[in-house]
Amino acid sequence: MPRRTAALVALSLLLTGCGADGRVTLDFFQFKPEATEVFDRIIAGFEREHPGIRVVQNHVPNAETAVRARLVRGDVPDVLALNGSSVFGELARAGVFHDFSRHPAREAINPAVQRILDDLGTHRPGEVNGLPFASNANGIIYNKSLFDAHGVRPPTSWPDLLTAARRFEAAGVTPFYLTLKDAWTALPTFNALAANLAPGDFFARRAAGRTSFGAAYGEVTARLAELYRYGQPDRFSRGYDEGNREFAQGRSAMYLQGSYAIPAIRKAGPRFEIGTFNPHDKLVAGVDVAITMPREPRRPKEAALFVDYLMRPAVLRAYAREQVAVPPLREATPDDPALQGVMPFFAEGRLTGYPDHQIPLAVGLERIIQQFLIDGDRRAFLAELDSEYDKVMERRS
C-alpha cells in the first residue's frame, strides 16, 4: 500500500474510532489513579462480552483541568468517570453531559445518593446528567481497640463526641490526629458541621443575596474550633499522608477523615480493627465516582453498552469492595466491616451532600479555614468567606 494511502487509512480509522482489527475504540476518561487496576479488570470483562469494542482507559494527573481542556477543544471522551464535585455540577449545567433520566439503571440506585449528584447541577430541571457509581461516607474513623480499652462507645451526638474526646485526653490518648499542613484536611469536619447546622436552603439564599456566612455559620465556626482543640501539638506541621500512617500506628483514637482514607490507612499496617461512626443527624456523603457520557456522543451505541455494563449491580459492588466505597444501590451492603457504622444512614436516606461542593473553588475555602484554625479569629474567618464568595459570584454574573 502506498505510504500516502496508508496514512489516510490510519487517519480514517482514528477519526471513526476503529482500530486496524476493525474493533470500535472507546475513550474512557477516569480521574482516580488508585482505581486504574480495578477499571482494567472491569474493562477486560466488558471486552470479553463485546469483542467488537476496545476500551482505552485514559487517566492523567489533574483530571479536572485535563477534562476542561479537552472540552475546550471539542474532544469529549466517549465515557467519563468523574468525581461528583462542583466541577461536575458546572459542566452538567453547561449542557455537556447526556440525560440519563430514563436509564434503567436508575431503578436500582439509592434515591438519596442520586439526589446528592443532581443537586450539584443539571442542564435542565428533571434531567439526570450522571449516574452514581460509588459513594463515600464523611464520617469519623476510629480505633476500635482504643475505644474498647477505655470503655468508650462510638458517639451518636455532638455531646457524646466531646465527652469521648475529653475522656481520651484525660487518659493521655490523643483524641484526634490532625493534619493541617494540608489545608484541605479540615474540610471533612467543616462539611459535617455545615451540613447539619446551617439551614437547608442556605446556598440558594446565599446566591440570591438574602443571607451570609456570617449570619448562618456562627455555630459551625464555634464547633469547628472546639473540636480542633483535641489534637496533637504539631497539627500544623503534619500532612494527610503522615496522618494516615500515624493513625495506623495507634497515635490517636479518632481520625477526622471519610471512608476514602481507609485504604491508605490499611497500607500502613494497623494492628487494630478500623470502624466508622457519624455523630450528626445526617451523614455527609458524596458521589465519589459518577459515570456519564457526552450529550452528543460520537459512538452512542458502543458508549451506551459500556455505561450499561459499568452500572450493573455486580460491577458496582465489585468496585466498592476493592476501593472501600459504598455501592450506590438501594440495597447497599458493603462487605467491608469498617463501613458498618455508617450504613444505617444510607438505608434510611439520612444523607446530604458536601457543602463545600456548593462553594466555588476560586473562593479558596481550604486556605480560609486553615487560617482560622491557626489564629482562631471567627469574625475574620466569616468576613473573608463572605467577601471572597461575593467576588467570585460577581465575576460570574
Side-chain angles (χ1 to χ4, degrees), residues 177-182 232-239 242:
Y177 199 91
L178 305 178
T179 54
L180 286 168
K181 180 181 178 182
D182 291 328
Q232 82 283 6
D234 61 355
R235 66 195 71 179
F236 296 107
S237 63
R238 299 297 178 182
E242 292 164 298

Side-chain angles (χ1 to χ4, degrees), residues 333-354:
T333 54
D335 297 334
D336 200 307
L339 299 177
Q340 294 305 318
V342 295
M343 291 315 299
F345 292 88
F346 285 88
E348 298 163 14
R350 289 195 289 145
L351 304 176
T352 186
Y354 287 82

Side-chain angles (χ1 to χ4, degrees), residues 165-387:
R166 291 166 184 154
R167 187 163 181 174
F168 283 119
E169 186 177 60
V173 176
T174 299
F176 304 104
Y177 199 91
L178 305 178
T179 54
L180 286 168
K181 180 181 178 182
D182 291 328
W184 72 267
T185 61
L187 288 177
T189 306
F190 170 85
N191 281 319
L193 294 170
N196 281 277
L197 297 175
D201 64 348
F202 170 76
F203 284 104
R205 290 170 52 80
R206 183 65 184 86
R210 296 200 301 270
T211 189
S212 66
F213 288 100
Y217 272 52
E219 186 66 14
V220 173
T221 308
R223 290 193 180 187
L224 181 64
E226 185 172 17
L227 203 61
Y228 266 71
R229 289 178 46 235
Y230 295 100
Q232 82 283 6
D234 61 355
R235 66 195 71 179
F236 296 107
S237 63
R238 299 297 178 182
Y240 177 68
D241 291 340
E242 292 164 298
N244 293 333
R245 291 193 300 269
E246 294 296 294
F247 178 75
Q249 293 174 19
R251 298 284 193 267
S252 71
M254 293 171 279
Y255 193 41
L256 298 173
Q257 289 295 337
S259 58
Y260 45 81
I262 294 174
I265 294 169
R266 284 181 172 156
K267 284 183 179 179
R271 297 182 179 179
F272 56 85
E273 187 177 353
I274 294 171
T276 53
F277 67 87
N278 175 49
H280 307 289
D281 292 336
K282 294 177 289 186
L283 174 71
V284 173
V287 176
D288 193 47
V289 181
I291 299 298
T292 190
M293 63 185 195
R295 183 165 289 268
E296 298 180 0
R298 291 171 292 187
R299 290 167 278 277
K301 178 182 176 181
E302 293 80 8
L305 285 171
F306 186 45
V307 169
D308 292 347
Y309 185 86
L310 289 169
M311 295 307 299
R312 290 181 182 178
V315 174
L316 298 176
R317 291 192 180 99
Y319 177 90
R321 188 180 308 118
E322 291 213 24
Q323 294 291 306
V324 194
V326 179
L329 300 166
R330 291 178 185 269
E331 302 297 329
T333 54
D335 297 334
D336 200 307
L339 299 177
Q340 294 305 318
V342 295
M343 291 315 299
F345 292 88
F346 285 88
E348 298 163 14
R350 289 195 289 145
L351 304 176
T352 186
Y354 287 82
D356 70 310
H357 288 174
Q358 303 293 333
I359 300 174
L361 292 175
V363 170
L365 177 63
E366 298 173 6
R367 175 192 59 79
I368 297 172
I369 293 177
Q370 183 188 48
Q371 184 58 45
F372 164 62
L373 292 172
I374 291 172
D375 61 32
D377 191 333
R378 300 180 192 178
R379 183 174 298 179
F381 165 65
L382 294 171
E384 184 175 8
L385 187 52
D386 273 315
S387 175

